[in-house]
Amino acid sequence: MKSAVETLNPTRVRLTVEVPFEELKDSLDAAYKKINQQVTVKGFRKGKIPARVIDQRFGRGAVLEEAVNDALPKFYTEAVNEAELNVLGQPEVDITELKDNETLNFTAEVDIRPAIEIPDYSGIEVEVDAVEVSDEDVEKAVEELRERFASTSPVERAAEDGDVVTIDLEAKVDGEVLEDGVASGVSYTIGSGELLEGIDDAVKGLEAGGEATFTSELKGGSAAGKESEVTVKVTQVAARELPELDDDFAQLASEFDTLDEVKADSRKRLENMKQYDQATQAQERVLEKLLELVEVPVPEKLLADEIETRKHNLVNHQLGQMGLDLAKYLEIQGKTEEEFDAETKEQAEKGIKTQFVLDELVNKEKLNVNQEELTEHLMRRAQSSGMSPDQFAQAVVEGGQVPMLVGEVARGKALAVVVEAATVKDTNGEVVDLDDEDETAETVEATESADAAEEKAEA
């Protein structure tokens, strides 16, 4: 077999392959054997029909077609390996010449990963938010904890903001009560915004036994997105009572003995959260700067496939679970379809470029992934997916996605290398030390495009 490579553009090549006919012998034998098992010829036992009889009865062309279909993947793979190509997706194959007992010639056009030159990235500088926790932030955190330990007691008065009301609901569309539009004994905190728009104004001022009717757009169910006439009846009004902020509360709501200790712990937790956010922000901004330094051509078909995958996941998974279609989603977002398409294309293109660049960095820096790193990553992914680690691991293995996870970890390590080399300062002008970067380093866009596993086992 002889092969040659023609570069069509930075992301696509054409392979020209010439195969001497004798190299088709194994595939021809397999073709005769397969046809033997599929056909019946009078006077011959099944599977024992001579090749010349098959040629006479069914045509040599049918045998050649079967043999070529069997052989093409092998010869294509050999040509790819010989040329050391990093191919993407399936090739477009064209048989240019097939002469019985002489030769088989074909071409294969296929996308390839572009050659990327990684420049010196040590000069990257970015600015991130400073880690600052105010007394007001601490007080808010403690107040939220206090809210979680609030108690309620029934009152005989009209409902007010902050009260917890027990209500019955009935929703009608076009005068008809919906099958899934009736609910009883629903507990609702006035002002929480957790139910229908307009319900707060409807129930405020009502005592137990009172009812009101209002119009609202349904958020879910069989009539999601439609205007509905909703009747709400209050069966109980209960006032929320907050515990006193003192040492007794500290012992009730935490493992600490004093309120001061609770506040100190809240401050530390907030600082840790802001440090994590700061590290993530550093990754994102360093990645942006890195992409600006590198010229990355993107294969058209790969981009089109990625755009389609992102749209499919949004429409059929995320929006489908919320009972929305794309048109309603765009209306809520205040976007046109053209704006949505442009944003999706931009995000998909960025994701592909990120993966290409970080994969090249993995090779350049000779980064490897050990079992411990892979296990830690699997645990994080399992937690975010709502599955147990064992369930997630089984799904990954059965889906053949272990290489995808290894790639995600490797790209995270590559990004961490760049962040470590960059200069990161906060808004106060102080240099930020990101010693724990390896714990939080996850590729922002790479995981998506090499991840449309949340979602295509990307890449």
Side-chain angles (χ1 to χ4, degrees), residues 326-341:
L326 183 58
K328 189 63 183 177
Y329 169 76
L330 293 178
E331 181 184 331
I332 294 171
Q333 295 291 314
K335 297 177 184 175
T336 65
E337 190 167 351
E338 291 74 19
E339 289 171 334
F340 169 76
D341 287 342

Side-chain angles (χ1 to χ4, degrees), residues 32-41 44-49 54 57-58:
Y32 278 116
K33 186 175 181 180
K34 182 176 181 180
I35 294 173
N36 240 307
Q37 299 300 322
Q38 294 175 337
V39 301
T40 302
V41 176
F44 296 95
R45 285 182 296 163
K46 197 174 187 65
K48 300 296 184 179
I49 309 168
I54 290 177
R57 291 292 186 93
F58 306 102

Side-chain angles (χ1 to χ4, degrees), residues 277-304:
D277 291 343
Q278 186 186 65
T280 302
Q281 193 178 66
Q283 292 171 8
E284 293 173 351
R285 295 184 178 178
V286 167
L287 179 59
E288 293 280 357
K289 291 282 190 180
L290 177 63
L291 293 180
E292 291 174 7
L293 296 175
V294 188
E295 185 68 30
V296 186
V298 175
E300 292 183 8
K301 188 175 187 306
L302 182 64
L303 178 58

Side-chain angles (χ1 to χ4, degrees), residues 75-150:
F75 292 127
Y76 165 73
T77 301
E78 287 181 8
V80 166
N81 292 338
E82 186 178 283
E84 298 182 341
L85 298 175
N86 196 339
V87 299
L88 301 167
Q90 297 300 313
E92 295 179 8
V93 177
D94 181 28
I95 298 174
T96 55
E97 186 176 25
L98 176 58
K99 290 184 178 179
D100 196 0
N101 291 314
E102 291 186 31
T103 187
L104 163 65
N105 297 337
F106 68 91
T107 62
E109 288 190 17
V110 65
D111 287 331
I112 60 170
R113 279 181 178 258
I116 299 174
E117 200 66 42
I118 301 294
D120 178 16
Y121 47 78
S122 61
I124 291 178
E125 295 185 11
V126 298
E127 184 181 75
V128 295
D129 294 336
V131 173
E132 296 175 341
V133 177
S134 66
D135 291 343
E136 289 75 14
D137 293 331
V138 174
E139 294 299 329
K140 181 180 178 182
V142 173
E143 190 62 31
E144 289 173 355
L145 179 63
R146 185 186 183 201
E147 290 278 347
R148 285 162 48 194
F149 284 85

Side-chain angles (χ1 to χ4, degrees), residues 14-55:
R14 179 188 292 122
L15 285 163
T16 301
V17 184
E18 297 179 11
V19 183
F21 206 81
E22 56 266 23
E23 294 188 29
L24 282 173
K25 184 180 183 306
D26 289 345
S27 294
L28 279 168
D29 291 343
Y32 278 116
K33 186 175 181 180
K34 182 176 181 180
I35 294 173
N36 240 307
Q37 299 300 322
Q38 294 175 337
V39 301
T40 302
V41 176
K42 189 176 181 180
F44 296 95
R45 285 182 296 163
K46 197 174 187 65
K48 300 296 184 179
I49 309 168
R52 59 179 176 75
V53 175
I54 290 177
D55 289 346

Side-chain angles (χ1 to χ4, degrees), residues 433-448:
D433 183 9
L434 297 170
D435 286 338
D436 296 329
E437 187 64 35
D438 58 330
E439 296 179 8
T440 57
E442 292 294 333
T443 327
V444 180
E445 286 288 335
T447 302
E448 290 185 6

Side-chain angles (χ1 to χ4, degrees), residues 137-329:
D137 293 331
V138 174
E139 294 299 329
K140 181 180 178 182
V142 173
E143 190 62 31
E144 289 173 355
L145 179 63
R146 185 186 183 201
E147 290 278 347
R148 285 162 48 194
F149 284 85
S151 60
T152 59
S153 57
V155 292
E156 294 183 4
R157 59 166 172 76
E160 302 172 355
D161 267 327
D163 285 343
V164 179
V165 290
T166 304
I167 54 177
D168 298 334
L169 295 165
E170 180 183 84
K172 294 180 180 179
V173 173
D174 298 329
E176 297 290 330
V177 178
L178 300 171
E179 288 187 13
D180 56 354
V182 178
S184 300
V186 177
S187 180
Y188 175 66
T189 301
I190 300 175
S192 66
E194 294 174 352
L195 281 178
L196 299 168
E197 186 176 343
I199 193 170
D200 288 338
D201 291 336
V203 297
K204 275 192 294 189
L206 294 181
E207 298 184 19
E211 67 176 55
T213 300
F214 63 100
T215 300
S216 183
E217 183 180 296
L218 298 178
K219 294 181 179 179
S222 61
K226 294 185 178 180
E227 287 292 321
S228 172
E229 182 182 87
V230 182
T231 299
V232 55
K233 180 178 181 180
V234 176
T235 59
Q236 178 181 277
V237 179
R240 299 177 74 250
E241 298 176 0
L242 297 173
E244 292 293 326
L245 283 177
D246 52 23
D247 291 347
D248 288 339
F249 168 71
Q251 295 164 25
L252 169 69
S254 72
E255 70 271 31
F256 300 107
D257 294 326
T258 68
L259 184 60
D260 286 341
E261 289 176 309
V262 170
K263 290 182 177 181
D265 181 67
S266 296
R267 183 179 295 276
K268 183 62 178 175
R269 288 175 184 271
L270 290 171
E271 287 175 350
N272 289 340
M273 288 173 58
K274 286 180 179 279
Q275 285 170 351
Y276 181 88
D277 291 343
Q278 186 186 65
T280 302
Q281 193 178 66
Q283 292 171 8
E284 293 173 351
R285 295 184 178 178
V286 167
L287 179 59
E288 293 280 357
K289 291 282 190 180
L290 177 63
L291 293 180
E292 291 174 7
L293 296 175
V294 188
E295 185 68 30
V296 186
V298 175
E300 292 183 8
K301 188 175 187 306
L302 182 64
L303 178 58
D305 289 346
E306 180 65 15
I307 291 171
E308 183 58 33
T309 295
R310 287 172 181 251
K311 282 186 176 181
H312 177 84
N313 288 338
L314 174 66
V315 173
N316 294 283
H317 298 297
Q318 300 172 43
L319 298 184
Q321 292 176 358
M322 294 187 289
L324 298 175
D325 58 16
L326 183 58
K328 189 63 183 177
Y329 169 76

